Amino acid sequence: GQNIDQPTEMTATEGAIVQINCTYQTSGFNGLFWYQQHAGEAPTFLSYNVLDGLEEKGRFSSFLSRSKGYSYLLLKELQMKDSASYLCAVLDSNYQLIWGAGTKLIIKP
Amino acid sequence: GAVVSQHPSWVICKSGTSVKIECRSLDFQATTMFWYRQFPKQSLMLMATSNEGSKATYEQGVEKDKFLINHASLTLSTLTVTSAHPEDSSFYICSARDPSTDRFSYEQYFGPGTRLTVT
């Protein structure tokens, strides 16, 4: 079956750095997405990785290792507004998005 | 660009009635739209994939006669929850793909969601 694993919840301090991991086992791979979702709102796009390596976009970076079935989202200089759920999703061989359960990130002052 | 709207943003209805939710792509043509349901503190659950001009493809366990999906144009898909019950109360989110997008041709653009409460 298809499976995406990410931690249920993480806590970090304002101004610090946090890394949210995602491992996947899917039938085929056509890219991995990270989305941010605030409570009661729709997800918003953060990043897309299809090749191995690190992609940096401002305070957020996303890393992918296809051979290991592994990705992480790195958030730097954490702000209170970064408190949200972070969803990892993989595009499988049928170009269907397989979603992880999401990681709830709690930022403390 | 790539804006998706949903209407209504929230709705309260009585048990046994039907509710229609609209999903529109405002600045692009969406050949494929997706309908998700999300219960509190849970992740997105794909209900169905809607392709313009053809029947929707429903995920396992989703009753197609209860959740009617119509994708009659390249910019509009509708989800009708028929004979709603309290257990149908949830956050319904649509998304759309813009086939003209270059690198992110399979990125899904999300609508703001519709919160349905069935009393």
Side-chain angles (χ1 to χ4, degrees):
Chain A
Q2 311 210 83
N3 193 49
I4 295 183
D5 287 318
Q6 47 180 135
T8 304
E9 187 174 297
M10 298 182 71
T11 302
T13 304
E14 190 177 15
I17 299 173
V18 71
Q19 177 175 310
I20 303 174
N21 296 324
C22 171
T23 57
Y24 62 89
Q25 292 176 309
T26 56
S27 56
F29 179 84
N30 281 298
L32 185 144
F33 292 88
W34 283 97
Y35 281 86
Q36 180 192 61
Q37 185 179 27
H38 285 99
E41 299 179 12
T44 55
F45 170 82
L46 289 178
S47 67
Y48 171 70
N49 294 66
V50 66
L51 300 176
D52 290 349
L54 183 69
E55 295 219 1
E56 299 183 71
K57 190 186 296 185
R59 293 190 298 115
F60 293 4
S61 302
S62 56
F63 171 83
L64 174 67
S65 169
R66 288 171 296 172
S67 62
K68 296 181 179 178
Y70 167 70
S71 172
Y72 68 72
L73 180 68
L74 191 71
L75 293 76
K76 302 176 184 177
E77 301 170 17
L78 287 171
Q79 302 175 10
M80 297 304 292
K81 67 178 183 180
D82 297 330
S83 292
S85 287
Y86 291 85
L87 308 174
C88 172
V90 172
L91 207 56
D92 70 6
S93 57
N94 295 319
Y95 294 96
Q96 291 272 50
L97 263 183
I98 310 300
W99 291 87
T103 298
K104 182 179 180 182
L105 177 63
I106 299 169
I107 309 296
K108 295 186 175 180
Chain B
V3 178
V4 176
S5 70
Q6 259 182 265
H7 178 79
S9 55
W10 61 270
V11 58
I12 302 173
C13 71
K14 292 186 177 180
S15 187
T17 61
S18 296
V19 174
K20 179 185 284 189
I21 302 171
E22 293 186 348
C23 178
R24 293 181 185 273
S25 56
L26 299 184
D27 52 1
F28 66 99
Q29 294 185 327
T31 52
T32 305
M33 288 184 169
F34 304 88
W35 286 97
Y36 293 89
R37 181 167 52 181
Q38 186 175 35
F39 293 106
K41 299 184 179 180
Q42 294 187 23
S43 190
L44 300 172
M45 288 176 46
L46 179 64
M47 299 176 66
T49 301
S50 169
N51 293 297
E52 187 269 336
S54 63
K55 291 183 179 180
T57 303
Y58 290 82
E59 295 299 301
Q60 194 172 9
V62 178
E63 301 173 57
K64 60 181 181 181
D65 294 331
K66 180 171 179 62
F67 298 98
L68 302 178
I69 291 173
N70 185 290
H71 194 161
S73 78
L74 287 171
T75 59
L76 174 64
S77 176
T78 61
L79 167 68
T80 301
V81 182
T82 62
S83 187
H85 289 100
E87 56 264 31
D88 297 323
S89 298
S90 186
F91 191 46
Y92 291 86
I93 310 173
C94 75
S95 68
R97 251 175 26 205
D98 180 359
S100 70
T101 305
D102 188 18
R103 178 186 180 190
F104 300 112
S105 59
Y106 293 98
E107 178 183 350
Q108 293 184 21
Y109 301 94
F110 286 87
T114 297
R115 186 159 303 282
L116 170 64
T117 302
V118 184
T119 61

